[in-house]
Amino acid sequence: MIVARTRASLRDARARLPGTVGVVPTMGALHEGHRALLRTARRRERSVVATLFVNRTQFNDPADYAAYPRDEGEDLAAFEACGVDLVFAPPVSEMYPNGFGTRIDPGPIAAELEGARRPGHFAGVATVVAKLFNLTRPTRAYFGQKDWQQTRVIARMVEDLNLPIDPVIVPTVRNPDGLALSSRNVRLTPDQRQAATALWRGLASARDAWDDDERSPAALAELVRTTIRAEPLAKLEYAEVRHALTLEPVGRARPPLVIAVAADIGGIGLIDNVVLGDGLVDDGGA
Ligand code: AMP
């Protein structure tokens, strides 16, 4: 496994990679969710590139950036164990040299939900992902369903800017109690960690209601809200039923849909979602 620290050394190493190239962008603190992306890429591509960069411009809260867990040694070992061929782990100065000024504005899709909660977040994501795409020139790029809106912002950008890249969305990996794996989970106390399961419990109750033919978006969203509000340590940020692709509000619940939830637990922002509709998330085939 090659570890590139500079754009120049990345370009050299990338030029030598054979066949199809899958890129897995990460901010490190790797867990089984990241590993699922890496394994999917490993299965499907001849060459796998992982990126490791905690991107300051997508953190609207400096304290969240400062507290973001970092352990490069462990991350590199995890990449190696997953069969990654090339890691790009640049310092900030390589990604944002003096004079850096261009930003990608992802448009209205970035203003909703997480975008409303975290102003500027998706401009930061889109900009760094576009840079990473240009540097790694992948055939396909692998992203997690857990950050559903992120996958839609990137799909929009790929289409709008005619980027020659195929995004692949890998299903959310969860703990046995349903909590979606997140690098931020390590910051939760045991009580908060327990409270955090309310996100999944709420989503699961909405999905059960969906299976029982509930088709009112308001009723489905309210089931999630009620579950989170019953949890004293959790502060509900939003629970919404939206069109899964455009993220626009829907009048009647009809696939493709996403039920998206965000809550604040002890100052830590957690998100989760359920997607209703076929073919939106990678099914492990091909
Ligand atoms: P991050 O390091 O948090 O920026 O995440 C890197 C990638 O891993 C993103 O595409 C995330 O959506 C994905 N990811 C994070 N958590 C999970 C999870 N629990 N299941 C699947 N993918 C995940």
Side-chain angles (χ1 to χ4, degrees), residues 57 100-112 115 118-131 149 152-161 163:
T57 69
F100 183 89
T102 304
R103 273 160 73 88
I104 292 185
D105 172 1
I109 200 164
E112 302 285 316
R118 306 174 68 185
H121 170 64
F122 287 118
V125 169
T127 305
V128 79
V129 168
K131 286 166 67 67
Q149 189 174 7
R152 297 316 309 157
V153 166
I154 287 161
R156 188 75 259 160
M157 174 177 79
V158 162
E159 193 172 326
D160 290 348
L161 301 184
L163 304 181

PDB file of all heavy atoms in Angstrom, residues 57 100-112 115 118-131 149 152-161 163:
ATOM      1  N   THR A  57     -13.361  22.756   6.063  1.00  0.00           N
ATOM      2  CA  THR A  57     -14.367  23.644   5.460  1.00  0.00           C
ATOM      3  C   THR A  57     -15.785  23.071   5.526  1.00  0.00           C
ATOM      4  O   THR A  57     -16.742  23.781   5.237  1.00  0.00           O
ATOM      5  CB  THR A  57     -14.029  23.975   3.992  1.00  0.00           C
ATOM      6  OG1 THR A  57     -14.200  22.797   3.211  1.00  0.00           O
ATOM      7  CG2 THR A  57     -12.615  24.487   3.842  1.00  0.00           C
ATOM      8  N   PHE A 100      -6.175  29.913  -1.825  1.00  0.00           N
ATOM      9  CA  PHE A 100      -7.317  29.094  -2.240  1.00  0.00           C
ATOM     10  C   PHE A 100      -8.604  29.915  -2.141  1.00  0.00           C
ATOM     11  O   PHE A 100      -8.849  30.548  -1.113  1.00  0.00           O
ATOM     12  CB  PHE A 100      -7.423  27.857  -1.341  1.00  0.00           C
ATOM     13  CG  PHE A 100      -8.523  26.923  -1.755  1.00  0.00           C
ATOM     14  CD1 PHE A 100      -8.281  25.920  -2.679  1.00  0.00           C
ATOM     15  CD2 PHE A 100      -9.808  27.077  -1.279  1.00  0.00           C
ATOM     16  CE1 PHE A 100      -9.292  25.080  -3.094  1.00  0.00           C
ATOM     17  CE2 PHE A 100     -10.834  26.243  -1.686  1.00  0.00           C
ATOM     18  CZ  PHE A 100     -10.569  25.246  -2.593  1.00  0.00           C
ATOM     19  N   GLY A 101      -9.449  29.884  -3.182  1.00  0.00           N
ATOM     20  CA  GLY A 101     -10.647  30.731  -3.115  1.00  0.00           C
ATOM     21  C   GLY A 101     -11.912  30.165  -3.725  1.00  0.00           C
ATOM     22  O   GLY A 101     -12.999  30.675  -3.450  1.00  0.00           O
ATOM     23  N   THR A 102     -11.814  29.111  -4.531  1.00  0.00           N
ATOM     24  CA  THR A 102     -12.988  28.629  -5.257  1.00  0.00           C
ATOM     25  C   THR A 102     -13.819  27.690  -4.397  1.00  0.00           C
ATOM     26  O   THR A 102     -13.266  26.832  -3.708  1.00  0.00           O
ATOM     27  CB  THR A 102     -12.529  27.883  -6.537  1.00  0.00           C
ATOM     28  OG1 THR A 102     -11.724  28.766  -7.303  1.00  0.00           O
ATOM     29  CG2 THR A 102     -13.709  27.407  -7.357  1.00  0.00           C
ATOM     30  N   ARG A 103     -15.131  27.865  -4.452  1.00  0.00           N
ATOM     31  CA  ARG A 103     -16.011  26.947  -3.724  1.00  0.00           C
ATOM     32  C   ARG A 103     -17.146  26.514  -4.630  1.00  0.00           C
ATOM     33  O   ARG A 103     -17.653  27.310  -5.422  1.00  0.00           O
ATOM     34  CB  ARG A 103     -16.621  27.645  -2.506  1.00  0.00           C
ATOM     35  CG  ARG A 103     -15.759  27.583  -1.270  1.00  0.00           C
ATOM     36  CD  ARG A 103     -16.169  28.664  -0.311  1.00  0.00           C
ATOM     37  NE  ARG A 103     -17.452  28.383   0.343  1.00  0.00           N
ATOM     38  CZ  ARG A 103     -17.559  27.675   1.469  1.00  0.00           C
ATOM     39  NH1 ARG A 103     -16.489  27.191   2.041  1.00  0.00           N
ATOM     40  NH2 ARG A 103     -18.739  27.481   2.012  1.00  0.00           N
ATOM     41  N   ILE A 104     -17.568  25.275  -4.493  1.00  0.00           N
ATOM     42  CA  ILE A 104     -18.712  24.785  -5.258  1.00  0.00           C
ATOM     43  C   ILE A 104     -19.983  25.024  -4.456  1.00  0.00           C
ATOM     44  O   ILE A 104     -20.061  24.638  -3.285  1.00  0.00           O
ATOM     45  CB  ILE A 104     -18.541  23.286  -5.587  1.00  0.00           C
ATOM     46  CG1 ILE A 104     -17.376  23.144  -6.571  1.00  0.00           C
ATOM     47  CG2 ILE A 104     -19.834  22.700  -6.142  1.00  0.00           C
ATOM     48  CD1 ILE A 104     -17.158  21.769  -7.082  1.00  0.00           C
ATOM     49  N   ASP A 105     -20.953  25.675  -5.090  1.00  0.00           N
ATOM     50  CA  ASP A 105     -22.256  25.895  -4.473  1.00  0.00           C
ATOM     51  C   ASP A 105     -23.201  24.828  -5.012  1.00  0.00           C
ATOM     52  O   ASP A 105     -23.578  24.871  -6.175  1.00  0.00           O
ATOM     53  CB  ASP A 105     -22.748  27.297  -4.846  1.00  0.00           C
ATOM     54  CG  ASP A 105     -24.185  27.531  -4.392  1.00  0.00           C
ATOM     55  OD1 ASP A 105     -24.772  26.613  -3.768  1.00  0.00           O
ATOM     56  OD2 ASP A 105     -24.713  28.614  -4.666  1.00  0.00           O
ATOM     57  N   PRO A 106     -23.598  23.853  -4.179  1.00  0.00           N
ATOM     58  CA  PRO A 106     -24.403  22.748  -4.696  1.00  0.00           C
ATOM     59  C   PRO A 106     -25.866  23.111  -4.951  1.00  0.00           C
ATOM     60  O   PRO A 106     -26.633  22.253  -5.373  1.00  0.00           O
ATOM     61  CB  PRO A 106     -24.307  21.677  -3.607  1.00  0.00           C
ATOM     62  CG  PRO A 106     -23.350  22.197  -2.593  1.00  0.00           C
ATOM     63  CD  PRO A 106     -23.264  23.667  -2.761  1.00  0.00           C
ATOM     64  N   GLY A 107     -26.269  24.345  -4.698  1.00  0.00           N
ATOM     65  CA  GLY A 107     -27.629  24.750  -5.040  1.00  0.00           C
ATOM     66  C   GLY A 107     -28.651  24.346  -3.994  1.00  0.00           C
ATOM     67  O   GLY A 107     -28.297  24.001  -2.858  1.00  0.00           O
ATOM     68  N   PRO A 108     -29.947  24.357  -4.379  1.00  0.00           N
ATOM     69  CA  PRO A 108     -31.037  24.224  -3.395  1.00  0.00           C
ATOM     70  C   PRO A 108     -31.001  22.911  -2.604  1.00  0.00           C
ATOM     71  O   PRO A 108     -31.422  22.895  -1.453  1.00  0.00           O
ATOM     72  CB  PRO A 108     -32.302  24.266  -4.262  1.00  0.00           C
ATOM     73  CG  PRO A 108     -31.891  24.793  -5.590  1.00  0.00           C
ATOM     74  CD  PRO A 108     -30.422  24.599  -5.744  1.00  0.00           C
ATOM     75  N   ILE A 109     -30.495  21.843  -3.196  1.00  0.00           N
ATOM     76  CA  ILE A 109     -30.518  20.547  -2.492  1.00  0.00           C
ATOM     77  C   ILE A 109     -29.683  20.611  -1.205  1.00  0.00           C
ATOM     78  O   ILE A 109     -29.892  19.847  -0.270  1.00  0.00           O
ATOM     79  CB  ILE A 109     -30.035  19.423  -3.425  1.00  0.00           C
ATOM     80  CG1 ILE A 109     -30.502  18.074  -2.912  1.00  0.00           C
ATOM     81  CG2 ILE A 109     -28.533  19.453  -3.624  1.00  0.00           C
ATOM     82  CD1 ILE A 109     -30.419  16.959  -3.927  1.00  0.00           C
ATOM     83  N   ALA A 110     -28.743  21.560  -1.181  1.00  0.00           N
ATOM     84  CA  ALA A 110     -27.861  21.683  -0.027  1.00  0.00           C
ATOM     85  C   ALA A 110     -28.422  22.607   1.050  1.00  0.00           C
ATOM     86  O   ALA A 110     -27.831  22.750   2.119  1.00  0.00           O
ATOM     87  CB  ALA A 110     -26.502  22.199  -0.475  1.00  0.00           C
ATOM     88  N   ALA A 111     -29.562  23.223   0.761  1.00  0.00           N
ATOM     89  CA  ALA A 111     -30.119  24.172   1.732  1.00  0.00           C
ATOM     90  C   ALA A 111     -31.052  23.486   2.724  1.00  0.00           C
ATOM     91  O   ALA A 111     -31.379  24.029   3.774  1.00  0.00           O
ATOM     92  CB  ALA A 111     -30.864  25.282   0.995  1.00  0.00           C
ATOM     93  N   GLU A 112     -31.478  22.279   2.375  1.00  0.00           N
ATOM     94  CA  GLU A 112     -32.464  21.562   3.190  1.00  0.00           C
ATOM     95  C   GLU A 112     -31.796  20.828   4.360  1.00  0.00           C
ATOM     96  O   GLU A 112     -30.587  20.627   4.361  1.00  0.00           O
ATOM     97  CB  GLU A 112     -33.133  20.482   2.316  1.00  0.00           C
ATOM     98  CG  GLU A 112     -33.800  21.006   1.084  1.00  0.00           C
ATOM     99  CD  GLU A 112     -35.094  21.678   1.433  1.00  0.00           C
ATOM    100  OE1 GLU A 112     -35.847  21.111   2.244  1.00  0.00           O
ATOM    101  OE2 GLU A 112     -35.344  22.787   0.937  1.00  0.00           O
ATOM    102  N   GLY A 115     -28.267  20.850   5.586  1.00  0.00           N
ATOM    103  CA  GLY A 115     -27.770  22.131   5.086  1.00  0.00           C
ATOM    104  C   GLY A 115     -28.312  23.294   5.897  1.00  0.00           C
ATOM    105  O   GLY A 115     -27.619  24.288   6.135  1.00  0.00           O
ATOM    106  N   ARG A 118     -26.552  23.017   9.302  1.00  0.00           N
ATOM    107  CA  ARG A 118     -25.106  23.266   9.256  1.00  0.00           C
ATOM    108  C   ARG A 118     -24.789  24.133   8.036  1.00  0.00           C
ATOM    109  O   ARG A 118     -24.313  23.620   7.013  1.00  0.00           O
ATOM    110  CB  ARG A 118     -24.350  21.930   9.159  1.00  0.00           C
ATOM    111  CG  ARG A 118     -24.724  20.950  10.253  1.00  0.00           C
ATOM    112  CD  ARG A 118     -24.069  19.593  10.023  1.00  0.00           C
ATOM    113  NE  ARG A 118     -22.626  19.654  10.180  1.00  0.00           N
ATOM    114  CZ  ARG A 118     -21.805  18.633   9.934  1.00  0.00           C
ATOM    115  NH1 ARG A 118     -22.285  17.482   9.496  1.00  0.00           N
ATOM    116  NH2 ARG A 118     -20.502  18.765  10.089  1.00  0.00           N
ATOM    117  N   PRO A 119     -25.007  25.452   8.136  1.00  0.00           N
ATOM    118  CA  PRO A 119     -24.796  26.318   6.971  1.00  0.00           C
ATOM    119  C   PRO A 119     -23.371  26.176   6.412  1.00  0.00           C
ATOM    120  O   PRO A 119     -22.405  26.167   7.160  1.00  0.00           O
ATOM    121  CB  PRO A 119     -25.023  27.722   7.534  1.00  0.00           C
ATOM    122  CG  PRO A 119     -25.868  27.514   8.756  1.00  0.00           C
ATOM    123  CD  PRO A 119     -25.473  26.187   9.327  1.00  0.00           C
ATOM    124  N   GLY A 120     -23.278  26.041   5.094  1.00  0.00           N
ATOM    125  CA  GLY A 120     -21.968  25.933   4.440  1.00  0.00           C
ATOM    126  C   GLY A 120     -21.416  24.526   4.378  1.00  0.00           C
ATOM    127  O   GLY A 120     -20.442  24.261   3.674  1.00  0.00           O
ATOM    128  N   HIS A 121     -22.041  23.604   5.125  1.00  0.00           N
ATOM    129  CA  HIS A 121     -21.512  22.240   5.206  1.00  0.00           C
ATOM    130  C   HIS A 121     -21.357  21.602   3.826  1.00  0.00           C
ATOM    131  O   HIS A 121     -20.287  21.085   3.474  1.00  0.00           O
ATOM    132  CB  HIS A 121     -22.442  21.396   6.087  1.00  0.00           C
ATOM    133  CG  HIS A 121     -22.157  19.928   6.063  1.00  0.00           C
ATOM    134  ND1 HIS A 121     -20.974  19.392   6.533  1.00  0.00           N
ATOM    135  CD2 HIS A 121     -22.894  18.869   5.616  1.00  0.00           C
ATOM    136  CE1 HIS A 121     -21.002  18.072   6.377  1.00  0.00           C
ATOM    137  NE2 HIS A 121     -22.147  17.732   5.815  1.00  0.00           N
ATOM    138  N   PHE A 122     -22.415  21.652   3.014  1.00  0.00           N
ATOM    139  CA  PHE A 122     -22.361  20.915   1.750  1.00  0.00           C
ATOM    140  C   PHE A 122     -21.505  21.614   0.695  1.00  0.00           C
ATOM    141  O   PHE A 122     -21.002  20.952  -0.216  1.00  0.00           O
ATOM    142  CB  PHE A 122     -23.770  20.621   1.237  1.00  0.00           C
ATOM    143  CG  PHE A 122     -24.455  19.555   2.031  1.00  0.00           C
ATOM    144  CD1 PHE A 122     -25.616  19.828   2.730  1.00  0.00           C
ATOM    145  CD2 PHE A 122     -23.925  18.280   2.113  1.00  0.00           C
ATOM    146  CE1 PHE A 122     -26.247  18.842   3.478  1.00  0.00           C
ATOM    147  CE2 PHE A 122     -24.531  17.283   2.863  1.00  0.00           C
ATOM    148  CZ  PHE A 122     -25.711  17.570   3.540  1.00  0.00           C
ATOM    149  N   ALA A 123     -21.344  22.925   0.814  1.00  0.00           N
ATOM    150  CA  ALA A 123     -20.390  23.592  -0.083  1.00  0.00           C
ATOM    151  C   ALA A 123     -18.989  23.070   0.227  1.00  0.00           C
ATOM    152  O   ALA A 123     -18.196  22.794  -0.685  1.00  0.00           O
ATOM    153  CB  ALA A 123     -20.461  25.102   0.096  1.00  0.00           C
ATOM    154  N   GLY A 124     -18.704  22.901   1.506  1.00  0.00           N
ATOM    155  CA  GLY A 124     -17.404  22.348   1.912  1.00  0.00           C
ATOM    156  C   GLY A 124     -17.227  20.925   1.425  1.00  0.00           C
ATOM    157  O   GLY A 124     -16.167  20.549   0.918  1.00  0.00           O
ATOM    158  N   VAL A 125     -18.282  20.115   1.555  1.00  0.00           N
ATOM    159  CA  VAL A 125     -18.227  18.716   1.100  1.00  0.00           C
ATOM    160  C   VAL A 125     -18.032  18.669  -0.414  1.00  0.00           C
ATOM    161  O   VAL A 125     -17.147  17.966  -0.924  1.00  0.00           O
ATOM    162  CB  VAL A 125     -19.518  17.957   1.493  1.00  0.00           C
ATOM    163  CG1 VAL A 125     -19.574  16.598   0.801  1.00  0.00           C
ATOM    164  CG2 VAL A 125     -19.621  17.794   3.002  1.00  0.00           C
ATOM    165  N   ALA A 126     -18.873  19.407  -1.150  1.00  0.00           N
ATOM    166  CA  ALA A 126     -18.818  19.340  -2.618  1.00  0.00           C
ATOM    167  C   ALA A 126     -17.447  19.800  -3.115  1.00  0.00           C
ATOM    168  O   ALA A 126     -16.875  19.189  -4.028  1.00  0.00           O
ATOM    169  CB  ALA A 126     -19.928  20.206  -3.222  1.00  0.00           C
ATOM    170  N   THR A 127     -16.919  20.838  -2.509  1.00  0.00           N
ATOM    171  CA  THR A 127     -15.624  21.360  -2.958  1.00  0.00           C
ATOM    172  C   THR A 127     -14.513  20.350  -2.721  1.00  0.00           C
ATOM    173  O   THR A 127     -13.721  20.054  -3.619  1.00  0.00           O
ATOM    174  CB  THR A 127     -15.314  22.700  -2.244  1.00  0.00           C
ATOM    175  OG1 THR A 127     -16.404  23.598  -2.481  1.00  0.00           O
ATOM    176  CG2 THR A 127     -14.022  23.310  -2.759  1.00  0.00           C
ATOM    177  N   VAL A 128     -14.477  19.774  -1.532  1.00  0.00           N
ATOM    178  CA  VAL A 128     -13.376  18.835  -1.262  1.00  0.00           C
ATOM    179  C   VAL A 128     -13.551  17.552  -2.088  1.00  0.00           C
ATOM    180  O   VAL A 128     -12.569  16.989  -2.578  1.00  0.00           O
ATOM    181  CB  VAL A 128     -13.225  18.537   0.254  1.00  0.00           C
ATOM    182  CG1 VAL A 128     -14.243  17.521   0.745  1.00  0.00           C
ATOM    183  CG2 VAL A 128     -11.820  18.053   0.557  1.00  0.00           C
ATOM    184  N   VAL A 129     -14.782  17.104  -2.267  1.00  0.00           N
ATOM    185  CA  VAL A 129     -15.002  15.879  -3.048  1.00  0.00           C
ATOM    186  C   VAL A 129     -14.629  16.113  -4.516  1.00  0.00           C
ATOM    187  O   VAL A 129     -13.995  15.263  -5.144  1.00  0.00           O
ATOM    188  CB  VAL A 129     -16.450  15.374  -2.887  1.00  0.00           C
ATOM    189  CG1 VAL A 129     -16.780  14.284  -3.907  1.00  0.00           C
ATOM    190  CG2 VAL A 129     -16.670  14.836  -1.471  1.00  0.00           C
ATOM    191  N   ALA A 130     -14.969  17.284  -5.052  1.00  0.00           N
ATOM    192  CA  ALA A 130     -14.574  17.591  -6.437  1.00  0.00           C
ATOM    193  C   ALA A 130     -13.049  17.590  -6.560  1.00  0.00           C
ATOM    194  O   ALA A 130     -12.487  17.062  -7.526  1.00  0.00           O
ATOM    195  CB  ALA A 130     -15.146  18.938  -6.860  1.00  0.00           C
ATOM    196  N   LYS A 131     -12.373  18.166  -5.579  1.00  0.00           N
ATOM    197  CA  LYS A 131     -10.909  18.167  -5.596  1.00  0.00           C
ATOM    198  C   LYS A 131     -10.369  16.740  -5.530  1.00  0.00           C
ATOM    199  O   LYS A 131      -9.465  16.370  -6.289  1.00  0.00           O
ATOM    200  CB  LYS A 131     -10.368  18.981  -4.413  1.00  0.00           C
ATOM    201  CG  LYS A 131     -10.522  20.491  -4.586  1.00  0.00           C
ATOM    202  CD  LYS A 131     -10.298  21.245  -3.275  1.00  0.00           C
ATOM    203  CE  LYS A 131      -8.870  21.167  -2.763  1.00  0.00           C
ATOM    204  NZ  LYS A 131      -7.880  21.867  -3.615  1.00  0.00           N
ATOM    205  N   GLN A 149     -28.158  12.759   2.412  1.00  0.00           N
ATOM    206  CA  GLN A 149     -28.182  14.037   1.685  1.00  0.00           C
ATOM    207  C   GLN A 149     -26.840  14.289   0.997  1.00  0.00           C
ATOM    208  O   GLN A 149     -26.794  14.822  -0.117  1.00  0.00           O
ATOM    209  CB  GLN A 149     -28.519  15.183   2.635  1.00  0.00           C
ATOM    210  CG  GLN A 149     -28.780  16.497   1.906  1.00  0.00           C
ATOM    211  CD  GLN A 149     -29.254  17.581   2.834  1.00  0.00           C
ATOM    212  OE1 GLN A 149     -29.267  17.405   4.068  1.00  0.00           O
ATOM    213  NE2 GLN A 149     -29.645  18.707   2.283  1.00  0.00           N
ATOM    214  N   ARG A 152     -26.819  12.680  -2.270  1.00  0.00           N
ATOM    215  CA  ARG A 152     -27.628  13.399  -3.268  1.00  0.00           C
ATOM    216  C   ARG A 152     -26.919  14.663  -3.755  1.00  0.00           C
ATOM    217  O   ARG A 152     -27.021  15.025  -4.928  1.00  0.00           O
ATOM    218  CB  ARG A 152     -29.005  13.761  -2.691  1.00  0.00           C
ATOM    219  CG  ARG A 152     -29.875  12.593  -2.303  1.00  0.00           C
ATOM    220  CD  ARG A 152     -29.897  11.471  -3.324  1.00  0.00           C
ATOM    221  NE  ARG A 152     -30.178  11.942  -4.667  1.00  0.00           N
ATOM    222  CZ  ARG A 152     -29.834  11.300  -5.785  1.00  0.00           C
ATOM    223  NH1 ARG A 152     -29.189  10.162  -5.727  1.00  0.00           N
ATOM    224  NH2 ARG A 152     -30.133  11.803  -6.959  1.00  0.00           N
ATOM    225  N   VAL A 153     -26.234  15.339  -2.851  1.00  0.00           N
ATOM    226  CA  VAL A 153     -25.458  16.517  -3.246  1.00  0.00           C
ATOM    227  C   VAL A 153     -24.371  16.100  -4.238  1.00  0.00           C
ATOM    228  O   VAL A 153     -24.149  16.760  -5.260  1.00  0.00           O
ATOM    229  CB  VAL A 153     -24.850  17.203  -1.995  1.00  0.00           C
ATOM    230  CG1 VAL A 153     -23.766  18.203  -2.380  1.00  0.00           C
ATOM    231  CG2 VAL A 153     -25.946  17.879  -1.183  1.00  0.00           C
ATOM    232  N   ILE A 154     -23.719  14.981  -3.962  1.00  0.00           N
ATOM    233  CA  ILE A 154     -22.644  14.529  -4.857  1.00  0.00           C
ATOM    234  C   ILE A 154     -23.211  14.049  -6.191  1.00  0.00           C
ATOM    235  O   ILE A 154     -22.674  14.371  -7.258  1.00  0.00           O
ATOM    236  CB  ILE A 154     -21.785  13.465  -4.149  1.00  0.00           C
ATOM    237  CG1 ILE A 154     -20.951  14.188  -3.087  1.00  0.00           C
ATOM    238  CG2 ILE A 154     -20.888  12.729  -5.140  1.00  0.00           C
ATOM    239  CD1 ILE A 154     -20.411  13.316  -2.017  1.00  0.00           C
ATOM    240  N   ALA A 155     -24.329  13.324  -6.158  1.00  0.00           N
ATOM    241  CA  ALA A 155     -24.942  12.882  -7.416  1.00  0.00           C
ATOM    242  C   ALA A 155     -25.335  14.096  -8.267  1.00  0.00           C
ATOM    243  O   ALA A 155     -25.143  14.110  -9.489  1.00  0.00           O
ATOM    244  CB  ALA A 155     -26.167  12.014  -7.125  1.00  0.00           C
ATOM    245  N   ARG A 156     -25.872  15.123  -7.620  1.00  0.00           N
ATOM    246  CA  ARG A 156     -26.260  16.357  -8.313  1.00  0.00           C
ATOM    247  C   ARG A 156     -25.031  17.015  -8.949  1.00  0.00           C
ATOM    248  O   ARG A 156     -25.039  17.416 -10.113  1.00  0.00           O
ATOM    249  CB  ARG A 156     -26.893  17.289  -7.258  1.00  0.00           C
ATOM    250  CG  ARG A 156     -27.538  18.548  -7.696  1.00  0.00           C
ATOM    251  CD  ARG A 156     -28.879  18.328  -8.336  1.00  0.00           C
ATOM    252  NE  ARG A 156     -28.714  18.414  -9.765  1.00  0.00           N
ATOM    253  CZ  ARG A 156     -29.549  17.920 -10.678  1.00  0.00           C
ATOM    254  NH1 ARG A 156     -30.635  17.279 -10.304  1.00  0.00           N
ATOM    255  NH2 ARG A 156     -29.313  18.041 -11.938  1.00  0.00           N
ATOM    256  N   MET A 157     -23.970  17.104  -8.162  1.00  0.00           N
ATOM    257  CA  MET A 157     -22.739  17.742  -8.656  1.00  0.00           C
ATOM    258  C   MET A 157     -22.159  16.968  -9.836  1.00  0.00           C
ATOM    259  O   MET A 157     -21.740  17.563 -10.837  1.00  0.00           O
ATOM    260  CB  MET A 157     -21.713  17.821  -7.526  1.00  0.00           C
ATOM    261  CG  MET A 157     -20.355  18.326  -7.975  1.00  0.00           C
ATOM    262  SD  MET A 157     -19.202  18.495  -6.608  1.00  0.00           S
ATOM    263  CE  MET A 157     -18.683  16.802  -6.365  1.00  0.00           C
ATOM    264  N   VAL A 158     -22.138  15.626  -9.719  1.00  0.00           N
ATOM    265  CA  VAL A 158     -21.592  14.782 -10.790  1.00  0.00           C
ATOM    266  C   VAL A 158     -22.372  15.029 -12.080  1.00  0.00           C
ATOM    267  O   VAL A 158     -21.791  15.159 -13.156  1.00  0.00           O
ATOM    268  CB  VAL A 158     -21.625  13.295 -10.361  1.00  0.00           C
ATOM    269  CG1 VAL A 158     -21.497  12.363 -11.549  1.00  0.00           C
ATOM    270  CG2 VAL A 158     -20.527  13.026  -9.338  1.00  0.00           C
ATOM    271  N   GLU A 159     -23.703  15.122 -11.934  1.00  0.00           N
ATOM    272  CA  GLU A 159     -24.521  15.339 -13.123  1.00  0.00           C
ATOM    273  C   GLU A 159     -24.359  16.779 -13.646  1.00  0.00           C
ATOM    274  O   GLU A 159     -24.136  16.990 -14.844  1.00  0.00           O
ATOM    275  CB  GLU A 159     -25.988  15.065 -12.789  1.00  0.00           C
ATOM    276  CG  GLU A 159     -26.843  14.962 -14.029  1.00  0.00           C
ATOM    277  CD  GLU A 159     -28.253  14.493 -13.688  1.00  0.00           C
ATOM    278  OE1 GLU A 159     -28.400  13.681 -12.751  1.00  0.00           O
ATOM    279  OE2 GLU A 159     -29.185  14.965 -14.360  1.00  0.00           O
ATOM    280  N   ASP A 160     -24.450  17.737 -12.757  1.00  0.00           N
ATOM    281  CA  ASP A 160     -24.417  19.144 -13.183  1.00  0.00           C
ATOM    282  C   ASP A 160     -23.079  19.516 -13.811  1.00  0.00           C
ATOM    283  O   ASP A 160     -23.025  20.317 -14.743  1.00  0.00           O
ATOM    284  CB  ASP A 160     -24.685  20.071 -11.984  1.00  0.00           C
ATOM    285  CG  ASP A 160     -26.125  19.981 -11.502  1.00  0.00           C
ATOM    286  OD1 ASP A 160     -26.960  19.393 -12.209  1.00  0.00           O
ATOM    287  OD2 ASP A 160     -26.403  20.510 -10.404  1.00  0.00           O
ATOM    288  N   LEU A 161     -21.997  18.979 -13.262  1.00  0.00           N
ATOM    289  CA  LEU A 161     -20.663  19.349 -13.758  1.00  0.00           C
ATOM    290  C   LEU A 161     -20.112  18.314 -14.733  1.00  0.00           C
ATOM    291  O   LEU A 161     -18.944  18.391 -15.122  1.00  0.00           O
ATOM    292  CB  LEU A 161     -19.698  19.555 -12.586  1.00  0.00           C
ATOM    293  CG  LEU A 161     -20.101  20.626 -11.564  1.00  0.00           C
ATOM    294  CD1 LEU A 161     -19.006  20.800 -10.507  1.00  0.00           C
ATOM    295  CD2 LEU A 161     -20.389  21.962 -12.246  1.00  0.00           C
ATOM    296  N   LEU A 163     -19.166  15.257 -14.408  1.00  0.00           N
ATOM    297  CA  LEU A 163     -17.960  14.571 -13.944  1.00  0.00           C
ATOM    298  C   LEU A 163     -18.032  13.100 -14.400  1.00  0.00           C
ATOM    299  O   LEU A 163     -19.075  12.465 -14.240  1.00  0.00           O
ATOM    300  CB  LEU A 163     -17.849  14.641 -12.416  1.00  0.00           C
ATOM    301  CG  LEU A 163     -17.882  16.053 -11.817  1.00  0.00           C
ATOM    302  CD1 LEU A 163     -17.727  15.993 -10.303  1.00  0.00           C
ATOM    303  CD2 LEU A 163     -16.789  16.923 -12.420  1.00  0.00           C
TER     304      LEU A 163
END
